[in-house]
Amino acid sequence: MRTPVIAGNWKMNKTPAEAVELARAVLAEIQPFTTVERVLCPPFVALAGLAPVLAGSGVGLGAQNLHWEKSGAFTGEISAPMLAGLCQYVIIGHSERRQFFGETDASVNKKVQAALAHGLTPIVCVGENLAENEAGQTGAVVTRQVRGAYAGLAAEAALKTIIAYEPVWAIGTGKAATPEQANAVMARFIRDLLQELYSAEVAGALRLQYGGSVTAANAAALMAQPDIDGALVGGASLKAADFAAIVKAAAG
Ligand code: PEP
């Protein structure tokens, strides 16, 4: 039995003060749903403010990116040891980072290794864009991205990660994948590949989130699919009631 995990990706939204206000509102609504692993991922500058708000609440805190080096001449970057005392999760390889900031399968792999080395749970994002989807390349793209992210990772390490399947054409567009479409990619491409790379046990244990226009209205149907273990939520995570409804849907 895989514990559902719902994470809110606040992206580049909210000042530190606004983030604390939103976290308090979200917490008030989602705290009762203890059967769901719940994570809030605000911008870096809000992490220190949210840590005491979430401490002891059962709701986790995550960053949206990290650099793979521990320290050094990397102006503007944040490392895993810097995050380790502050939060427990980190989103890696989000499509917006791949699209706008040159993230590659190789850098995703280095970031996953760095996160794990410092006790952070990576939420590894994969997903095809619209052109790739229309060209029938979904399987090839997702397979390449998962292979890249997990290169050199032992089964024990892989088990500590979460994969978010986020078709790029569904992110922020209001056009979510159908539950059947999303489940098919997870079952046919991601879990089958994990079985090939590791074992049936790893493939069956790793949690797979769906991401891309998840809302209070479509969450229950997505969550009802056998291979979908939760969601990475962008837009709807910025509204306490909407995010709470998604968490509630995952609680069943
Ligand atoms: C995301 O940011 O990962 C995401 C899925 O965004 P949205 O829910 O807004 O589509």
Side-chain angles (χ1 to χ4, degrees), residues 9-11 91 94-96 125 166 170-174 210-215 232-237:
N9 173 14
W10 293 4
K11 311 195 188 196
I91 298 171
H94 192 279
S95 65
E96 287 152 17
C125 301
E166 300 204 303
I171 297 177
T173 59
Y210 166 76
S213 298
V214 176
T215 62
L232 181 55
V233 184
S237 71

PDB file of all heavy atoms in Angstrom, residues 9-11 91 94-96 125 166 170-174 210-215 232-237, ligand 1:
ATOM      1  N   ASN A   9       3.278  23.125  -5.446  1.00  0.00           N
ATOM      2  CA  ASN A   9       4.398  23.879  -6.010  1.00  0.00           C
ATOM      3  C   ASN A   9       3.937  25.324  -6.188  1.00  0.00           C
ATOM      4  O   ASN A   9       3.182  25.616  -7.114  1.00  0.00           O
ATOM      5  CB  ASN A   9       4.804  23.259  -7.356  1.00  0.00           C
ATOM      6  CG  ASN A   9       5.844  24.090  -8.087  1.00  0.00           C
ATOM      7  OD1 ASN A   9       6.457  24.986  -7.504  1.00  0.00           O
ATOM      8  ND2 ASN A   9       6.047  23.798  -9.367  1.00  0.00           N
ATOM      9  N   TRP A  10       4.402  26.176  -5.304  1.00  0.00           N
ATOM     10  CA  TRP A  10       3.945  27.573  -5.346  1.00  0.00           C
ATOM     11  C   TRP A  10       4.666  28.380  -6.432  1.00  0.00           C
ATOM     12  O   TRP A  10       4.371  29.554  -6.634  1.00  0.00           O
ATOM     13  CB  TRP A  10       4.141  28.238  -3.981  1.00  0.00           C
ATOM     14  CG  TRP A  10       3.244  27.670  -2.910  1.00  0.00           C
ATOM     15  CD1 TRP A  10       2.380  26.606  -3.035  1.00  0.00           C
ATOM     16  CD2 TRP A  10       3.126  28.111  -1.549  1.00  0.00           C
ATOM     17  NE1 TRP A  10       1.746  26.362  -1.844  1.00  0.00           N
ATOM     18  CE2 TRP A  10       2.181  27.274  -0.914  1.00  0.00           C
ATOM     19  CE3 TRP A  10       3.730  29.124  -0.813  1.00  0.00           C
ATOM     20  CZ2 TRP A  10       1.831  27.423   0.429  1.00  0.00           C
ATOM     21  CZ3 TRP A  10       3.383  29.285   0.526  1.00  0.00           C
ATOM     22  CH2 TRP A  10       2.439  28.439   1.132  1.00  0.00           C
ATOM     23  N   LYS A  11       5.645  27.771  -7.077  1.00  0.00           N
ATOM     24  CA  LYS A  11       6.414  28.439  -8.137  1.00  0.00           C
ATOM     25  C   LYS A  11       6.921  29.810  -7.654  1.00  0.00           C
ATOM     26  O   LYS A  11       7.204  29.962  -6.467  1.00  0.00           O
ATOM     27  CB  LYS A  11       5.578  28.578  -9.412  1.00  0.00           C
ATOM     28  CG  LYS A  11       4.907  27.262  -9.817  1.00  0.00           C
ATOM     29  CD  LYS A  11       4.404  27.293 -11.229  1.00  0.00           C
ATOM     30  CE  LYS A  11       3.589  26.048 -11.510  1.00  0.00           C
ATOM     31  NZ  LYS A  11       3.386  25.825 -12.933  1.00  0.00           N
ATOM     32  N   ILE A  91      11.838  19.623  -5.214  1.00  0.00           N
ATOM     33  CA  ILE A  91      11.385  19.348  -6.585  1.00  0.00           C
ATOM     34  C   ILE A  91      12.617  19.430  -7.490  1.00  0.00           C
ATOM     35  O   ILE A  91      13.399  20.382  -7.390  1.00  0.00           O
ATOM     36  CB  ILE A  91      10.326  20.389  -7.031  1.00  0.00           C
ATOM     37  CG1 ILE A  91       9.080  20.308  -6.142  1.00  0.00           C
ATOM     38  CG2 ILE A  91       9.950  20.174  -8.501  1.00  0.00           C
ATOM     39  CD1 ILE A  91       8.076  21.453  -6.380  1.00  0.00           C
ATOM     40  N   HIS A  94      11.760  20.137 -12.787  1.00  0.00           N
ATOM     41  CA  HIS A  94      10.450  20.631 -13.226  1.00  0.00           C
ATOM     42  C   HIS A  94      10.558  21.105 -14.682  1.00  0.00           C
ATOM     43  O   HIS A  94      11.590  21.651 -15.094  1.00  0.00           O
ATOM     44  CB  HIS A  94       9.998  21.781 -12.326  1.00  0.00           C
ATOM     45  CG  HIS A  94       8.559  22.157 -12.533  1.00  0.00           C
ATOM     46  ND1 HIS A  94       8.165  22.961 -13.580  1.00  0.00           N
ATOM     47  CD2 HIS A  94       7.441  21.811 -11.866  1.00  0.00           C
ATOM     48  CE1 HIS A  94       6.850  23.109 -13.538  1.00  0.00           C
ATOM     49  NE2 HIS A  94       6.382  22.411 -12.505  1.00  0.00           N
ATOM     50  N   SER A  95       9.506  20.933 -15.441  1.00  0.00           N
ATOM     51  CA  SER A  95       9.583  21.271 -16.872  1.00  0.00           C
ATOM     52  C   SER A  95       9.902  22.737 -17.100  1.00  0.00           C
ATOM     53  O   SER A  95      10.523  23.100 -18.102  1.00  0.00           O
ATOM     54  CB  SER A  95       8.287  20.896 -17.580  1.00  0.00           C
ATOM     55  OG  SER A  95       7.230  21.670 -17.077  1.00  0.00           O
ATOM     56  N   GLU A  96       9.498  23.605 -16.156  1.00  0.00           N
ATOM     57  CA  GLU A  96       9.826  25.022 -16.330  1.00  0.00           C
ATOM     58  C   GLU A  96      11.332  25.243 -16.188  1.00  0.00           C
ATOM     59  O   GLU A  96      11.904  26.109 -16.851  1.00  0.00           O
ATOM     60  CB  GLU A  96       9.033  25.874 -15.325  1.00  0.00           C
ATOM     61  CG  GLU A  96       7.562  25.934 -15.732  1.00  0.00           C
ATOM     62  CD  GLU A  96       6.591  26.122 -14.583  1.00  0.00           C
ATOM     63  OE1 GLU A  96       7.004  26.518 -13.482  1.00  0.00           O
ATOM     64  OE2 GLU A  96       5.391  25.846 -14.800  1.00  0.00           O
ATOM     65  N   CYS A 125      10.635  15.360 -11.586  1.00  0.00           N
ATOM     66  CA  CYS A 125       9.598  15.636 -12.589  1.00  0.00           C
ATOM     67  C   CYS A 125      10.017  15.151 -13.976  1.00  0.00           C
ATOM     68  O   CYS A 125      11.135  15.410 -14.415  1.00  0.00           O
ATOM     69  CB  CYS A 125       9.329  17.137 -12.664  1.00  0.00           C
ATOM     70  SG  CYS A 125       8.805  17.846 -11.112  1.00  0.00           S
ATOM     71  N   GLU A 166       4.427  14.814 -15.248  1.00  0.00           N
ATOM     72  CA  GLU A 166       3.751  16.068 -15.580  1.00  0.00           C
ATOM     73  C   GLU A 166       3.837  16.324 -17.080  1.00  0.00           C
ATOM     74  O   GLU A 166       4.847  16.885 -17.553  1.00  0.00           O
ATOM     75  CB  GLU A 166       4.410  17.230 -14.848  1.00  0.00           C
ATOM     76  CG  GLU A 166       4.378  17.109 -13.336  1.00  0.00           C
ATOM     77  CD  GLU A 166       4.493  18.474 -12.684  1.00  0.00           C
ATOM     78  OE1 GLU A 166       5.471  19.184 -12.935  1.00  0.00           O
ATOM     79  OE2 GLU A 166       3.585  18.840 -11.949  1.00  0.00           O
ATOM     80  N   ALA A 170      -0.089  19.943 -20.120  1.00  0.00           N
ATOM     81  CA  ALA A 170      -1.169  20.010 -19.127  1.00  0.00           C
ATOM     82  C   ALA A 170      -0.868  20.988 -17.994  1.00  0.00           C
ATOM     83  O   ALA A 170      -1.756  21.320 -17.202  1.00  0.00           O
ATOM     84  CB  ALA A 170      -1.412  18.618 -18.535  1.00  0.00           C
ATOM     85  N   ILE A 171       0.379  21.467 -17.931  1.00  0.00           N
ATOM     86  CA  ILE A 171       0.775  22.333 -16.813  1.00  0.00           C
ATOM     87  C   ILE A 171       0.279  23.751 -17.029  1.00  0.00           C
ATOM     88  O   ILE A 171       0.636  24.400 -18.023  1.00  0.00           O
ATOM     89  CB  ILE A 171       2.312  22.330 -16.617  1.00  0.00           C
ATOM     90  CG1 ILE A 171       2.791  20.918 -16.252  1.00  0.00           C
ATOM     91  CG2 ILE A 171       2.721  23.321 -15.538  1.00  0.00           C
ATOM     92  CD1 ILE A 171       4.301  20.793 -16.098  1.00  0.00           C
ATOM     93  N   GLY A 172      -0.559  24.204 -16.113  1.00  0.00           N
ATOM     94  CA  GLY A 172      -1.039  25.583 -16.153  1.00  0.00           C
ATOM     95  C   GLY A 172      -1.947  25.906 -17.316  1.00  0.00           C
ATOM     96  O   GLY A 172      -2.201  27.072 -17.603  1.00  0.00           O
ATOM     97  N   THR A 173      -2.437  24.894 -17.996  1.00  0.00           N
ATOM     98  CA  THR A 173      -3.262  25.130 -19.187  1.00  0.00           C
ATOM     99  C   THR A 173      -4.748  24.903 -18.919  1.00  0.00           C
ATOM    100  O   THR A 173      -5.582  25.245 -19.756  1.00  0.00           O
ATOM    101  CB  THR A 173      -2.855  24.161 -20.323  1.00  0.00           C
ATOM    102  OG1 THR A 173      -3.029  22.814 -19.856  1.00  0.00           O
ATOM    103  CG2 THR A 173      -1.418  24.372 -20.742  1.00  0.00           C
ATOM    104  N   GLY A 174      -5.056  24.295 -17.792  1.00  0.00           N
ATOM    105  CA  GLY A 174      -6.457  23.953 -17.515  1.00  0.00           C
ATOM    106  C   GLY A 174      -6.883  22.708 -18.284  1.00  0.00           C
ATOM    107  O   GLY A 174      -8.051  22.310 -18.235  1.00  0.00           O
ATOM    108  N   TYR A 210       0.764  12.549 -10.309  1.00  0.00           N
ATOM    109  CA  TYR A 210       0.405  13.182 -11.574  1.00  0.00           C
ATOM    110  C   TYR A 210       0.440  14.695 -11.345  1.00  0.00           C
ATOM    111  O   TYR A 210       0.028  15.181 -10.285  1.00  0.00           O
ATOM    112  CB  TYR A 210      -1.006  12.771 -12.040  1.00  0.00           C
ATOM    113  CG  TYR A 210      -1.476  13.687 -13.148  1.00  0.00           C
ATOM    114  CD1 TYR A 210      -0.969  13.550 -14.440  1.00  0.00           C
ATOM    115  CD2 TYR A 210      -2.342  14.751 -12.876  1.00  0.00           C
ATOM    116  CE1 TYR A 210      -1.328  14.441 -15.439  1.00  0.00           C
ATOM    117  CE2 TYR A 210      -2.710  15.644 -13.863  1.00  0.00           C
ATOM    118  CZ  TYR A 210      -2.194  15.475 -15.145  1.00  0.00           C
ATOM    119  OH  TYR A 210      -2.530  16.372 -16.135  1.00  0.00           O
ATOM    120  N   GLY A 211       0.901  15.448 -12.338  1.00  0.00           N
ATOM    121  CA  GLY A 211       0.850  16.901 -12.254  1.00  0.00           C
ATOM    122  C   GLY A 211       0.431  17.487 -13.581  1.00  0.00           C
ATOM    123  O   GLY A 211       0.822  16.991 -14.652  1.00  0.00           O
ATOM    124  N   GLY A 212      -0.361  18.551 -13.534  1.00  0.00           N
ATOM    125  CA  GLY A 212      -0.825  19.220 -14.749  1.00  0.00           C
ATOM    126  C   GLY A 212      -2.295  19.541 -14.628  1.00  0.00           C
ATOM    127  O   GLY A 212      -3.134  18.691 -14.894  1.00  0.00           O
ATOM    128  N   SER A 213      -2.580  20.786 -14.172  1.00  0.00           N
ATOM    129  CA  SER A 213      -3.959  21.256 -14.048  1.00  0.00           C
ATOM    130  C   SER A 213      -4.828  20.372 -13.157  1.00  0.00           C
ATOM    131  O   SER A 213      -5.998  20.126 -13.459  1.00  0.00           O
ATOM    132  CB  SER A 213      -4.590  21.427 -15.438  1.00  0.00           C
ATOM    133  OG  SER A 213      -3.878  22.405 -16.178  1.00  0.00           O
ATOM    134  N   VAL A 214      -4.248  19.912 -12.056  1.00  0.00           N
ATOM    135  CA  VAL A 214      -5.052  19.189 -11.064  1.00  0.00           C
ATOM    136  C   VAL A 214      -5.894  20.220 -10.312  1.00  0.00           C
ATOM    137  O   VAL A 214      -5.393  21.270  -9.913  1.00  0.00           O
ATOM    138  CB  VAL A 214      -4.168  18.402 -10.072  1.00  0.00           C
ATOM    139  CG1 VAL A 214      -5.021  17.747  -8.992  1.00  0.00           C
ATOM    140  CG2 VAL A 214      -3.357  17.339 -10.803  1.00  0.00           C
ATOM    141  N   THR A 215      -7.159  19.919 -10.155  1.00  0.00           N
ATOM    142  CA  THR A 215      -8.080  20.834  -9.472  1.00  0.00           C
ATOM    143  C   THR A 215      -8.926  20.041  -8.468  1.00  0.00           C
ATOM    144  O   THR A 215      -8.899  18.801  -8.466  1.00  0.00           O
ATOM    145  CB  THR A 215      -9.062  21.486 -10.469  1.00  0.00           C
ATOM    146  OG1 THR A 215      -9.853  20.438 -11.057  1.00  0.00           O
ATOM    147  CG2 THR A 215      -8.350  22.256 -11.563  1.00  0.00           C
ATOM    148  N   LEU A 232       1.263  16.573  -7.925  1.00  0.00           N
ATOM    149  CA  LEU A 232       2.065  17.787  -7.772  1.00  0.00           C
ATOM    150  C   LEU A 232       1.182  18.894  -8.338  1.00  0.00           C
ATOM    151  O   LEU A 232       0.790  18.846  -9.505  1.00  0.00           O
ATOM    152  CB  LEU A 232       3.388  17.663  -8.542  1.00  0.00           C
ATOM    153  CG  LEU A 232       4.347  18.852  -8.454  1.00  0.00           C
ATOM    154  CD1 LEU A 232       4.676  19.214  -7.014  1.00  0.00           C
ATOM    155  CD2 LEU A 232       5.652  18.557  -9.197  1.00  0.00           C
ATOM    156  N   VAL A 233       0.846  19.833  -7.476  1.00  0.00           N
ATOM    157  CA  VAL A 233      -0.189  20.811  -7.802  1.00  0.00           C
ATOM    158  C   VAL A 233       0.409  22.207  -7.888  1.00  0.00           C
ATOM    159  O   VAL A 233       1.061  22.656  -6.948  1.00  0.00           O
ATOM    160  CB  VAL A 233      -1.282  20.804  -6.698  1.00  0.00           C
ATOM    161  CG1 VAL A 233      -2.423  21.742  -7.076  1.00  0.00           C
ATOM    162  CG2 VAL A 233      -1.787  19.390  -6.438  1.00  0.00           C
ATOM    163  N   GLY A 234       0.209  22.889  -9.004  1.00  0.00           N
ATOM    164  CA  GLY A 234       0.698  24.253  -9.153  1.00  0.00           C
ATOM    165  C   GLY A 234      -0.370  25.263  -8.768  1.00  0.00           C
ATOM    166  O   GLY A 234      -0.573  25.568  -7.597  1.00  0.00           O
ATOM    167  N   GLY A 235      -1.092  25.763  -9.753  1.00  0.00           N
ATOM    168  CA  GLY A 235      -2.073  26.832  -9.547  1.00  0.00           C
ATOM    169  C   GLY A 235      -3.022  26.609  -8.380  1.00  0.00           C
ATOM    170  O   GLY A 235      -3.224  27.518  -7.551  1.00  0.00           O
ATOM    171  N   ALA A 236      -3.577  25.432  -8.283  1.00  0.00           N
ATOM    172  CA  ALA A 236      -4.580  25.175  -7.236  1.00  0.00           C
ATOM    173  C   ALA A 236      -3.966  25.106  -5.839  1.00  0.00           C
ATOM    174  O   ALA A 236      -4.694  25.144  -4.836  1.00  0.00           O
ATOM    175  CB  ALA A 236      -5.341  23.872  -7.543  1.00  0.00           C
ATOM    176  N   SER A 237      -2.626  25.037  -5.761  1.00  0.00           N
ATOM    177  CA  SER A 237      -2.015  24.994  -4.425  1.00  0.00           C
ATOM    178  C   SER A 237      -1.925  26.384  -3.807  1.00  0.00           C
ATOM    179  O   SER A 237      -1.580  26.533  -2.635  1.00  0.00           O
ATOM    180  CB  SER A 237      -0.625  24.361  -4.486  1.00  0.00           C
ATOM    181  OG  SER A 237       0.311  25.225  -5.116  1.00  0.00           O
TER     182      SER A 237
HETATM  183  C1  PEP B   1       3.215  22.355 -11.613  1.00  0.00           C
HETATM  184  O1  PEP B   1       3.605  23.477 -11.388  1.00  0.00           O
HETATM  185  O2  PEP B   1       3.978  21.392 -11.426  1.00  0.00           O
HETATM  186  C2  PEP B   1       1.855  22.161 -12.094  1.00  0.00           C
HETATM  187  C3  PEP B   1       1.439  20.957 -12.316  1.00  0.00           C
HETATM  188  O3  PEP B   1       1.106  23.300 -12.301  1.00  0.00           O
HETATM  189  P1  PEP B   1      -0.506  23.365 -12.530  1.00  0.00           P
HETATM  190  O4  PEP B   1      -1.121  22.506 -11.437  1.00  0.00           O
HETATM  191  O5  PEP B   1      -0.845  24.802 -12.377  1.00  0.00           O
HETATM  192  O6  PEP B   1      -0.785  22.809 -13.865  1.00  0.00           O
END
